[in-house]
Amino acid sequence: MTNPAPPTSGVQLLEVAPEYAGQRIDNFLRTQLKGVPKTLIYRILRKGEVRVNKGRIKPEYKLQAGDVIRVPPLRLAERDEPVPLAQGLLERLESAIVYEDKALIVVNKPTGIAVHGGSGLNYGVIEAFRQLRPECKDLELVHRLDRDTSGLLMIAKKRSMLRHLHDALRGERIVDKRYHALVRGNWPAAKKQIAVPLLKNNLRSGERVVEVNPEGKEALTEFKVLRRFGDFATLVEARPITGRTHQIRVHAKHAGHSIAGDPKYGDEDFSREIRELGGKRLFLHSAYLRVPLPDGGVLELEAPVDEVWLRTVERLDA
């Protein structure tokens, strides 16, 4: 595909390569026209200024291989350019990479950093990596982690890898993701599975809250005890077989063993005691990942927890 010309040039003609077939044109233009505000992209689509094969199309038009897209001249004000992110954050994320090849990045995401901008945030992991890897035009999140959950996060550098991993994630047990969680109380060794349906609700504030509800989607998490701290707390491994929003957090709460530091589904008294030990974070960490690669190989990765987690567990042990 031809590279987009600079925004100050005249008409741009973009030819759609086979790997973009099936993608909506609005999403395609958002990734190809870097630095162009979304509002401007939707405006030129709405006004019919974008043509495909010389004809008008709607924003939801799905591309076909070989389509020729005509983009009108775009004049950008400086204020529309993406704000450079703090060097410290970029360096922190660069150093958190645990694996990278031509098609994939896997990062050990720190707690407290959102995976993408929105909801009052100007940036997230994906925006940072688009600045760290400007030559990679197709960087996309493969999956998500909650802002306060740390651990292994996959970012595709090529659309072919994104499609491959999305297909793998849709099949139960094809991708093996395992989390570590510090939970309240003494988790029984016999409690190996939580299988209750989860329903997602959006509050008026825009906040998402998930609850156990028979009308919700089927959800299954497997649990294994890793370490006990008397009757006060247990370190468990959680393996989500399905991939529902907040699944591990809600299933742990449903089992009567909420996760330390969880402001939405947790037990405040338990979380406060963990904070007094220095544990000021959500104690949920994506620790292990095993994924099939397109070439038939398998990628297997582990990610260590941070100093706050290590120090807190040491104090629990004391």
Side-chain angles (χ1 to χ4, degrees):
M1 193 193 69
T2 54
N3 288 326
T8 52
S9 71
V11 171
Q12 301 176 57
L13 294 176
L14 309 176
E15 185 174 343
V16 177
E19 63 262 30
Y20 294 95
Q23 187 177 23
R24 279 175 50 135
I25 191 167
D26 52 352
N27 293 331
F28 174 81
L29 292 177
R30 281 171 56 184
T31 57
Q32 296 301 313
L33 303 176
K34 300 295 184 187
V36 178
K38 285 188 288 186
T39 51
L40 178 55
I41 289 172
Y42 283 107
R43 192 184 315 142
I44 61 176
L45 282 167
R46 198 170 55 247
K47 288 183 173 181
E49 294 176 23
V50 175
R51 303 291 176 99
V52 175
N53 304 329
K54 301 184 179 179
R56 286 192 173 210
I57 41 80
K58 294 183 177 180
E60 59 269 22
Y61 171 80
K62 291 192 176 178
L63 298 171
Q64 298 179 33
D67 277 351
V68 176
I69 304 169
R70 178 195 181 278
V71 180
L74 297 173
R75 194 175 295 276
L76 292 181
E78 280 185 24
R79 62 184 173 82
D80 288 330
E81 293 176 5
V83 178
L85 301 182
Q87 193 62 31
L89 171 68
L90 296 177
E91 289 173 0
R92 190 177 175 200
L93 287 173
E94 181 80 54
S95 67
I97 294 172
V98 294
Y99 176 84
E100 183 171 9
D101 63 19
K102 292 178 181 177
L104 181 66
I105 297 172
V106 185
V107 62
N108 184 4
K109 184 187 84 66
T111 182
I113 300 178
V115 295
H116 60 77
S119 303
L121 295 168
N122 293 325
Y123 67 88
V125 172
I126 189 64
E127 287 82 10
F129 272 96
R130 283 172 181 156
Q131 288 195 30
L132 286 166
R133 300 287 185 276
E135 72 283 1
C136 298
K137 303 299 183 187
D138 295 322
L139 278 181
E140 296 289 349
L141 292 164
V142 174
H143 59 115
R144 300 184 181 191
L145 292 178
D146 296 334
R147 180 179 180 177
D148 293 327
T149 301
S150 57
L152 294 166
L153 177 71
M154 294 184 283
I155 302 166
K157 296 164 80 173
K158 293 185 176 180
R159 288 198 61 78
S160 55
M161 177 62 84
L162 183 67
R163 280 199 305 271
H164 167 79
L165 291 173
H166 277 175
D167 288 344
L169 285 164
R170 277 193 285 270
E172 289 188 5
R173 300 182 187 272
I174 294 176
V175 174
D176 189 353
K177 290 193 288 183
R178 303 186 187 203
Y179 293 72
H180 289 178
L182 183 66
V183 302
R184 188 189 73 172
N186 192 340
W187 186 290
K191 191 175 287 184
K192 297 182 187 302
Q193 284 190 348
I194 304 293
V196 290
L198 300 178
L199 184 66
K200 185 164 56 176
N201 292 312
N202 288 324
L203 302 182
R204 200 173 295 171
S205 63
E207 183 183 10
R208 287 186 302 181
V209 175
V210 177
E211 63 180 14
V212 172
N213 189 309
E215 295 179 8
K217 292 183 177 179
E218 177 187 344
L220 170 64
T221 310
E222 296 178 347
F223 288 91
K224 183 171 81 174
V225 172
L226 298 177
R227 196 167 170 189
R228 299 185 192 279
F229 302 96
D231 290 329
F232 176 63
T234 310
L235 183 65
V236 297
E237 176 188 272
R239 186 184 179 199
I241 305 305
T242 51
R244 311 299 177 209
T245 300
H246 299 169
Q247 176 174 317
I248 296 171
R249 295 162 65 183
V250 180
H251 274 177
K253 176 188 177 183
H254 178 75
H257 301 277
S258 54
I259 297 175
D262 190 338
K264 193 172 287 189
Y265 307 107
D267 177 285
E268 181 48 39
D269 289 340
F270 174 60
S271 293
R272 187 179 63 251
E273 290 186 68
I274 295 296
R275 281 198 303 273
E276 287 170 358
L277 294 172
K280 297 180 180 178
R281 58 157 296 168
L282 171 68
F283 280 79
L284 182 61
H285 176 73
S286 177
Y288 172 85
L289 182 65
R290 188 176 188 274
V291 296
L293 295 173
D295 63 5
V298 172
L299 178 64
E300 193 169 11
L301 297 169
E302 293 184 47
V305 294
D306 62 17
E307 284 297 318
V308 170
W309 186 303
L310 286 172
R311 201 164 51 241
T312 304
V313 168
E314 281 177 9
R315 287 169 181 167
L316 277 172
D317 236 1

